[in-house]
């Protein structure tokens, strides 16, 4: 339903909104779930923000064993930190001095909502979705991110049953910072890969 809301004209969005409330009402009437369930779920959705992804990145920076587990199975590593990711497969992409990762969903707007919350508008735009795969270096420049030619840029296209999150490079000179302070350095856009830290 969220993805259907992400595109289309004002008219079609109005249509989907009406369809959504009609279905919601019907399912509540049929006893599939209650109004309180809906409220709880909406609250849970609103509580998801990039701070969750940042927590995971900071842990990976300070704990090499955790990082290895996160790269092997992102979902299980997130669950270790008490971050529920649900049935979707989470894949963590590690940046290195030679490789920079960027995520996109060329088809619609798949996004690691469980760790980053709602996607920014530009992530869902046709402009970003179509161009970042063709000319990633140029698109990143528009975000103010200059990736040297010697660094490979890899663009990862999300699919319906899995999500990507970037593990950015730990900035130099942060050896003395606590895990909590490190997490504060991690921005939403760096987890998508359009900016560096
Ligand atoms: Fe999608």
């Amino acid at each position: 339903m969220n993805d259907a809301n992400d595109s289309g004209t004002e008219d079609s969005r109005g249509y989907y909104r009406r369809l959504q409330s009609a279905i919601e009402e019907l399912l509540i009437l049929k006893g599939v779930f209650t109004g309180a369930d809906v409220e709880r779920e909406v609250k849970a959705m609103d509580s998801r923000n990039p701070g969750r992804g940042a927590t995971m990145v900071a842990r990976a920076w300070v704990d090499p064993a955790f990082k290895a587990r996160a790269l092997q199975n992102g979902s299980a590593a997130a669950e270790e930190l008490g971050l529920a990711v649900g049935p979707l497969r989470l894949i963590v992409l590690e940046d290195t001095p030679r490789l920079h990762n960027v995520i996109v969903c060329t088809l619609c707007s798949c996004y690691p909502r469980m760790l980053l919350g709602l996607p920014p508008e530009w992530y869902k735009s046709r402009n970003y979705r179509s161009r970042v795969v063709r000319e990633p270096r140029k698109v990143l420049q528009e975000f103010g991110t200059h990736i040297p030619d010697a660094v490979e840029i890899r663009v990862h296209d999300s699919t319906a049953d899995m999500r990507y999150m970037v593990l950015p490079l730990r900035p130099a000179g942060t050896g003395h910072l606590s895990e909590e302070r490190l997490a504060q350095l991690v921005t939403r856009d760096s987890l998508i890969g359009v900016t560096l830290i």
Side-chain angles (χ1 to χ4, degrees):
M1 191 52 77
N2 279 322
D3 284 347
N5 274 328
D6 288 339
S7 57
T9 62
E10 196 45 54
D11 273 1
S12 72
R13 280 201 291 272
Y15 167 79
Y16 284 115
R17 255 199 297 271
R18 284 199 303 280
L19 184 65
Q20 182 210 316
S21 5
I23 293 174
E24 182 182 319
E25 222 169 286
L26 187 67
L27 291 172
I28 289 173
L29 273 173
K30 281 186 164 289
V32 176
F33 51 69
T34 66
D37 290 335
V38 176
E39 221 168 282
R40 197 172 43 241
E41 195 51 42
V42 169
K43 230 181 229 170
M45 270 164 60
D46 286 345
S47 76
R48 288 175 203 137
N49 62 58
R52 301 174 134 229
T55 300
M56 202 165 156
V57 165
R59 176 64 59 86
W61 281 346
V62 300
D63 180 347
F66 177 80
K67 179 170 118 179
R69 291 198 296 281
L71 295 176
Q72 210 192 3
N73 185 337
S75 307
E79 302 273 351
E80 257 186 61
L81 301 182
L83 305 168
V85 297
L88 293 168
R89 201 168 138 230
L90 174 71
I91 296 172
V92 177
L93 308 161
E94 185 186 18
D95 280 353
T96 72
R98 311 280 307 272
L99 173 69
H100 179 76
N101 296 287
V102 186
I103 65 171
V104 65
C105 174
T106 54
L107 197 63
C108 43
S109 58
C110 298
Y111 184 76
R113 289 167 193 244
M114 60 290 215
L115 291 178
L116 303 192
L118 294 175
E121 284 303 315
W122 57 258
Y123 183 86
K124 301 184 281 184
S125 71
R126 195 173 293 275
N127 186 333
Y128 177 75
R129 283 158 41 216
S130 59
R131 288 183 54 228
V132 77
V133 283
R134 284 202 318 268
E135 42 183 18
R137 223 168 277 273
K138 198 164 165 218
V139 171
L140 291 191
Q141 291 272 18
E142 291 164 23
F143 280 92
T145 305
H146 175 70
I147 305 291
D149 285 341
V151 177
E152 180 193 344
I153 300 179
R154 212 171 279 168
V155 181
H156 302 263
D157 193 1
S158 313
T159 68
D161 56 358
M162 54 93 160
R163 298 290 186 272
Y164 293 111
M165 185 183 80
V166 176
L167 171 56
L169 275 176
R170 179 172 176 165
T174 57
H176 62 293
L177 293 183
S178 68
E179 191 176 330
E180 206 180 357
R181 286 282 294 115
L182 286 169
Q184 288 166 2
L185 301 177
V186 182
T187 62
R188 176 196 70 195
D189 288 358
S190 70
L191 299 169
I192 302 173
V194 293
T195 59
L196 303 171
I197 298 174

